[in-house]
Amino acid sequence: MSNNPIIAINQSKVANRPESYETMMKVGPKVCITTASHPGFLGFEQLLQTGIHPMAGRYGGGAVDMHETLNPISMFQYTAWKDVKSHEEMHHENFKEIFELCVSV
């Protein structure tokens, strides 16, 4: 067994609209519980933002209402795992459950 923790990075592009938020609130917690239940899971961090620049991506890109200009929004989630094997096992063992959750909305 390896003693080298790893960080896995997941990137997605999410449509900036109310329906996306509703889907995230319905499916997200179930996917998180499935992931966190794996014994090799150590933790996660999502949506690290340090101001407006990471999302707008250009000088002067900020505005009070950015529903149109920030569409879709790139999201990054970082998960920490005991080792590579644990991360791969979680995906392999839970593929059916996670797939069914994601396509059920």
Side-chain angles (χ1 to χ4, degrees):
M1 174 92 43
S2 174
N3 226 5
N4 297 315
I6 66 156
I7 301 292
I9 303 170
N10 178 46
Q11 178 187 17
S12 62
K13 294 213 180 233
V14 179
N16 189 5
R17 59 178 196 234
E19 297 84 7
S20 296
Y21 180 77
E22 291 169 17
T23 298
M24 184 176 71
M25 296 309 291
K26 185 189 302 184
V27 175
K30 295 173 186 172
V31 172
C32 287
I33 289 169
T34 301
T35 302
S37 297
H38 192 279
F41 179 74
L42 300 176
F44 78 98
E45 184 65 56
Q46 183 172 352
L47 302 174
L48 299 175
Q49 184 170 342
T50 58
I52 198 163
H53 177 72
M55 293 178 76
R58 64 194 184 283
Y59 176 77
V64 173
D65 181 358
M66 298 187 78
H67 283 88
E68 296 301 320
T69 54
L70 286 180
N71 206 354
I73 298 173
S74 289
M75 292 175 49
F76 294 89
Q77 183 179 48
Y78 304 84
T79 53
W81 297 88
K82 182 172 70 172
D83 51 34
V84 171
K85 183 177 181 238
S86 296
H87 177 253
E88 297 304 315
E89 279 177 354
M90 188 285 299
H91 282 288
H92 180 74
E93 293 170 4
N94 296 299
F95 177 80
K96 182 178 182 241
E97 291 81 7
I98 292 173
F99 181 80
E100 287 175 356
L101 284 169
C102 292
V103 299
S104 68
V105 291

